[in-house]
DNA sequence: TGAACCTTACCACACCTGTGTCAAGGTTCC
DNA sequence: GGAACCTTGACACAGGTGTGGTAAGGTTCA
């Protein structure tokens, strides 16, 4: 008497057996197997299934999102690239301090000077 | 002569105008507007569009994934919950040190004792 | 004023996500 | 040996993602 079968685990956690297989397939919860290949859900798996459900409900995210967060945690190159891309998002005046607003206006000047040879909007309305 | 229109920006970055609007809608790149509402793509936006393309291609991720990474960075509660859930993933003997394997076996004992009244697999084949 | 842009708001479509059901075959246990 | 499980694999389907169009109307500029 060691662990629950997939149907039992489903009943006690509120997931369906189908979804337990799905959650396993996308790499979120991979229960050990018996020699015959039967999934065995122990207390940790059951707990994780319940907290996973909470996570999804509380923040309105999907399983694919959590799977992506897992990728972020496991693939260093991916995490680095994503983080540096996000970090570079331009901070616009509305969202930053008065000091930053000043440098924003100066930077705008630089942008003007840096404008290229490509055809552009003439006299933009601001 | 300040910034490019959406069609010009599309041409120089390889995105379609349609996709530039989509990228804006999901919150990844929101160019400033003229008084008339025209999107103005400056050098930063163009650069970010190009690096975004690279990011997607290099790691085979989708725009929705990046949008989720942005949520993770902006919503503290979400990030905390996701991280603590992922951090708790069970380390199985195959992937950890001999010491941990020992405690794994002991823990298994605890699981046996904790087994509930629910019907369970009899004599699991390991 | 008219050509050539821009805007938003729809219709459309292929693929992915999340979920169910069913079939064909192996395992457990009495 | 047979009931009641388990396995994988397939068909199905709604809703979201990623992309294209097209229409109705405002803006820019020669």
């Amino acid at each position: 008497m060691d662990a629950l079968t997939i149907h039992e685990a489903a009943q006690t956690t509120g997931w369906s057996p189908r979804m337990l297989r799905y959650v396993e397939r996308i790499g979120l919860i991979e229960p050990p197997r018996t020699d015959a290949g039967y999934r065995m859900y122990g207390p940790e798996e059951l707990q994780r299934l319940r907290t996973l459900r909470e996570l999804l409900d509380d923040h309105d995210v999907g399983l694919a999102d959590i799977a992506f967060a897992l990728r972020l945690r496991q693939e260093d190159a991916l995490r680095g690239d994503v983080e540096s891309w996000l970090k570079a998002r331009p901070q616009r005046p509305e969202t930053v301090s008065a000091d930053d607003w000043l440098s924003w206006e100066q930077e705008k000047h630089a942008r003007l000077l840096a404008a290229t040879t490509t055809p552009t909007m003439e006299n933009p309305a601001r």
Side-chain angles (χ1 to χ4, degrees), chain A:
Chain A
M1 193 175 295
D2 190 11
L4 303 190
T5 67
I6 193 170
H7 272 262
E8 295 157 356
Q11 275 189 329
T12 68
T13 61
W15 294 89
S16 66
R18 179 66 163 84
M19 286 309 294
L20 294 190
R21 298 199 186 93
Y22 184 62
V23 167
E24 179 185 32
R25 201 171 67 80
I26 64 180
L28 295 187
I29 295 178
E30 297 168 317
R33 306 288 193 105
T34 68
D35 285 350
Y38 285 23
R39 293 171 182 80
M40 296 188 303
Y41 290 87
E44 316 90 347
E45 281 83 17
L46 299 179
Q47 190 54 28
R48 285 179 63 67
L49 283 171
R50 295 198 189 94
T51 55
L52 177 58
R53 167 71 78 197
E54 273 181 31
L55 184 57
L56 300 188
D57 290 350
D58 287 358
H59 300 284
D60 190 35
V61 300
L63 291 169
D65 293 324
I66 308 300
F68 180 68
L70 180 56
R71 273 193 74 186
L72 278 182
R73 154 172 291 252
Q74 289 175 336
E75 300 174 29
D76 290 355
L78 172 60
R79 184 177 58 255
D81 286 356
V82 169
E83 259 181 40
S84 62
W85 191 86
L86 289 177
K87 198 153 34 187
R89 27 186 12 230
Q91 300 296 312
R92 281 289 145 59
E94 303 78 51
T95 66
V96 292
S97 72
D99 271 16
D100 286 349
W101 190 81
L102 208 64
S103 63
W104 159 251
E105 284 298 307
Q106 291 167 351
E107 193 184 318
K108 196 161 116 186
H109 244 262
R111 273 192 296 148
L112 268 156
L113 296 173
T116 68
T117 60
T118 334
T120 61
M121 286 193 293
E122 306 292 336
N123 299 333
R126 59 180 310 192

